[in-house]
Amino acid sequence: MNPLATFNTLIDSPAWPTLQLGLHGLFFLALLYLLKRLFDLRRTAVLKGLPKPKSIAGGLVVVLVLGSAFGAVLAYQATWQLTGMTRPDFIAFMQTYDRRQFNPAHRIARGRIADRKGQILAYSKEIDGRVQRVYPYGPAFAHVIGYQDPTFGATGLEGSANAHLNGSAPADLRAWRDLGQQVITQREPRGQDLVLTLDAGLQRQAFAALDGHAGAVVMLRPADGALRVLASAPAFDPNRLSADLFQRGDTQARLLNRALQGRYPPGSTFKLVVAAEGLAAGQTGPLRCEANGYTTSARYPLIRDHEYYSARRSGMTWQGHGSLSLSRALAESCNVFFAKLGVQLGHERFARTLDNFLFWRTIPLHSSEYGSLTMTTGEAPRIAGSDQYGLAQAAIGQGRMLMTPAHLALIAGAIANDGVAVKPRLVAGEEPEGLARMMPADQARQLQRMMRKVVSEGTARGIDMPGLAIAGKTGTAQNSDGAPHSWFVGYAPADRRAPEQTLAIVVLVEQGGYGSAAAAPLARDMLLQAQKQGLLP
Amino acid sequence: MSAAGVMTWQESWAARAPERHWLGLCIFAVSVGFLLIFGAQRSVDRLIEVRDLLPLALYVPSLVLVHLTLVLARFRGDQLLVAAVALLSGLGVLMHYRLGAFSVGSLSEAARQYALYPVCMGAMLMTALAAMRGRYRYLAVWPWLWAVISIGLLAALVVTGQRFRGAIYAAGFLTPSEFLKLSAVLFLAAFIAARAGALTAWHHGILPPVKALLPLAAVWGLLCALLLWQRDLGMFAILNLVLLLLLTMGTGRIGYLLLGVTAAAGGALVLLRFFSHGARRVDAWLNPFGDPTGASWQLLQGLSGMYSGGLWGQGFGAGNPEYIPIAASDFVYAVVGEELGFFGSVLVVLFFLLLFQRGFAIALRCRGVFARLLALGLTAVLAVQTFLNLGGVTKLIPLTGLTLPFISQGGSSLLASLIAVGLLLAISDGEPKGRGRTKRRKA
C-alpha cells in the first residue's frame, strides 16, 4: 500500500480536523518535552573543554538581561495578541482591513444603528461563521450610514463611530467591567448600539421622491441641529458592494454624498445671503429694475430676469418689475435687483458676509478619535476689487459660486432660529452646539417675513396651502452641464414660533429645471409628511 | 577530566548521548510540524507528492551527519547548542516549506533551495571542526584582514547592490552584509584582544585612551559611514552595540559603556533627523493608525495575524500569511504567532534564549581574551538581531528590516548564523592544555 496515497485520503477524511488538532497539541508537547529533557540532561552535557566559571554573577546578569529584554517583547506581544480588543483602533483596523476568515475581530457583535424611533438601519448577522453587516433599507441610507466591509473599508457613520460600534471604546465603568469579562470568556467584545436623530420614514420618502434623479434632501431641526433627513442620490446598495463602484470615472459619482459634499451653484437661493447683507446695511430698496436687464459695463452681457426670456420665447415684450423693494424682489427672485444690490454693497462687505455665513469651512457632524463624518460649506471666487461684474454675478449665485445642500440647510436653519446657526448633528443624545450667529435677531425676523412672502405670493406660491405655513426660497441654477439645477430652501411653520417644532429643509434636484417645478413640491411633500408624523404642529 | 588525545570514539559516542536524544526529539517535533503543513496544503489545492517529503528527508540526515561527525571527531564542545540550533533551524525549514519556498518551478529549479539547509549545516560543522582544539586562535593573527574584508563586503554591496524598500540589498543569492556580522566581530575581538592593555589605560580614569582607539575609530567610522550610506540602520545598531559590549568586557572599563550610551543618544537624534527612511519607520511605529493602509500596513497585518492566532494558534499551515507583505523574511515571527499562537511564540523565544544563554555562558568561561570576546560578540550579534526583529514585528520598537536568525527565509542569513554557531561550538571545545598557557600569557 502506498503510504502517501493513504495519507492523502486521511487528510480528505472527516477525521482530519480532529487529527489536526491532536497533531497541533502533539507538536507543542514535543517542544515542551524537548525543553524538559534539555533541562534534565544539562548536567550530563557539561562543557568539559572549558574551565569552571569563577563566579555565577556573570551568568546571572546574562539571564537577567536576556530575560527582561525578551520578556518585554512577549509581554508587549500579549497586549496585541491576547488582549488586543482593548485597543479600539486595532479592532477597527482588523474589522476594516483584515481578510482572515477566522479573525475573532470579525465575530464581534457589532452594535446596531437605529433611527430616532428605534427602527434598525444597520445590524450584524452571522453567516457561515462570519459576521456580515446588513442594511435593511439599502441605498436610502447608503451615504450617511456608509458601510463596513472587510474589503472596502468603512465610511460614513460606520467609519466615524467604528470604535463605539465594535465596543472597544467603553463609555463608563460598567462597560469597562463587561469588556473585562468578555476578554476572559470569549475574546470578543460586544459592540454598543448607536441611535441617530434621523427619521427613517422621512429619509426613505425623500430618497424615493428623488426617484432616479441625482440630488439631495436635508432636513434638520434648527433649534438643536438634529438632522431628520440626509438623503443623497444616486446611491449604491451597501449590502452588495462591488469593485466597479470604486473605479475612477464613475460618471454617476454614486459614492459622493451630495448632501454633505456635493458642490453646486446656489442660484437664486444665494439671494437670501445677499438679502441679509442688504438688511444689515440698511439697503432695503426700492431699486429700479429695468426690464431689459442690468450690467456694470457695456463689455459684459446683461443680467436679466427669467420673465424677460419667457416673454421673448412667446414673441412678446416683458414690461419689467419696475421699482422693487427688497421684500418684493426676493419674492419675485429678481436678478436685476440683487445684481444691483450686490454691486452697491461692495466687495468688502460681500467678503465679510461670506465669512459670517461660514464659507470655506469643514464642519464635523460626528467625530471620534478614529474618524469623522464632515460637511463642507460653500466656496466663492475671490473677486478682484476692480471687478464689478463678478460681484453682480456672485450676488445672484452664479459665476464660480458653489455651495453644498448642507450649507444651505445650515443657513435656512439659522434664519428660522433668529440668526443662530446650530451645528448639525446625527447622533441622538449629543449636546447641541452653537456654530455662529449669522445675523442679528431682528434682521432674521425680517428675512423670515420675506421668505414667507416668497411662498404666499412669490415664485413658490405653487406650494402654498392652508394647513402649513411654509417659508422658503426657490433657486434655478444655470450650469454648464445642461438643464439648470432646481433648488428649494426653506422651513416650516412660518407662523408660529416654537423652536422645537420647526424644521428647515433643503432640496436639490440636479437638472430639475425651475426651482418651483421640481424642488419646491418635493419639499412641500416632505414637510407635510413631517407634520403628519407630529414633527410639525 | 581525561586529556583530549586519549578519548576514543566509543567514549565520545557515550558522552554525546544527550545530544543524540535531543536531536531525536527535534526530528520528531519537526516531523509532526510537516504532517500538519501537509494536511493544510492538501486541503487547499493539491495532493501531497514524494517531492513534498524532500525538505524533511534532507533535514533528518543533516542532523544525523552533524552528530556522527562530531562523535567521530571526538568533539568535546557543547551539545545543548547543537540541539537548540537544530530545533530553531528545523522550524526555519518548516516555515520555508510552509511559505512556499520549495514550490518554485520544477525540482531542478528549486534545487538550490533544497540544498540550502544541508549546505549551511555542513558549513557549521566544517567551521566547528576546522576551528576546534583551539585552532580558532589563528583567526586572531591578522585583525586587519577582517577589517579589510568587512569594508570590502560593504563596498561590494555599494557597487553591485540595488535599492529595495529603502535599503540596498545585493542582487542574487547572497546578502554580503549578513557576513559582516562575522567579519566585524572577528575584527573587534582580535583588535581588542591584542591591545587590551593599551585600551584599559584611561587617563586619570576619565579620559579614554585616544591614541590606542584611533585605528579602531578609523575602521569603524568607515564601516558605519558605509552602513548609513546603505541605510542599513539595523546592522548599524547591532554592530555598535556589540562594539560597546566588547570594549567594555575586553577592558573591564565601564567608561566605554557610558561613553557609548551618550554617543548613541546624540547619534539617534541626528540620524533620525537626517534619514527620512528611519524617521518614517519611527512614525509608523509611534502612530501606526495614522497611515494604516500605507506605512503601517505590514506591521498591522502582522499584528492582525497574531491576534487571529490567539493563545493556541491556527495550526501550522492554517493561517493566512499571504496577507502580510514579505512574511517569509522579516515578518516570519508574525506567521509563527498566527499559526502557533502566543504559546508557540513563547516556546520559540525560549529556544532562542537557551541558545543565547549558552553562548554567553561559553564566553564567560573562556580564559583567552580573544576566545571570550569572539564568543561574546557572536552571541550578542545573534541575540541583538533576534531582539530587534521580534521587537519590530511586535511593535515594541521601530522596524529595522532585519531577518530572524535561523528561521527567516534567506540563504545568507542562515549561512552566516550557522557559521557563527560553528565558531561558538569550536570555542566551547576548549583549548588544548599546555600550549594554551603560553598563548594566554600575551592576553
Side-chain angles (χ1 to χ4, degrees), chain A residues 85 90-96 98 100 102-110 131 148 166 187-189, chain B residues 307-308:
Chain A
M85 78 289 286
F90 183 45
I91 291 289
F93 172 84
M94 289 190 289
Q95 288 189 333
T96 318
D98 189 279
R100 288 174 185 81
F102 298 109
N103 191 324
H106 295 309
R107 291 198 297 277
I108 288 172
R110 192 176 167 86
V131 172
Q148 189 261 331
N166 67 35
R187 289 212 307 139
E188 294 162 23
Chain B
Y307 181 77
S308 71

Side-chain angles (χ1 to χ4, degrees), chain A residues 288-337:
Chain A
R288 212 187 130 58
C289 302
E290 295 85 357
N292 192 34
Y294 163 78
T295 186
T296 54
S297 153
R299 283 181 292 141
Y300 297 113
L302 287 155
I303 292 171
R304 289 170 167 141
D305 289 309
H306 70 91
E307 288 93 339
Y308 172 89
Y309 297 103
S310 22
R312 205 173 63 174
R313 267 199 298 280
S314 48
M316 291 185 287
T317 319
W318 183 51
Q319 293 309 307
H321 289 300
S323 236
L324 283 181
S325 67
L326 178 62
S327 171
R328 197 68 232 147
L330 192 76
E332 295 300 336
S333 197
C334 178
N335 285 340
V336 174
F337 181 95

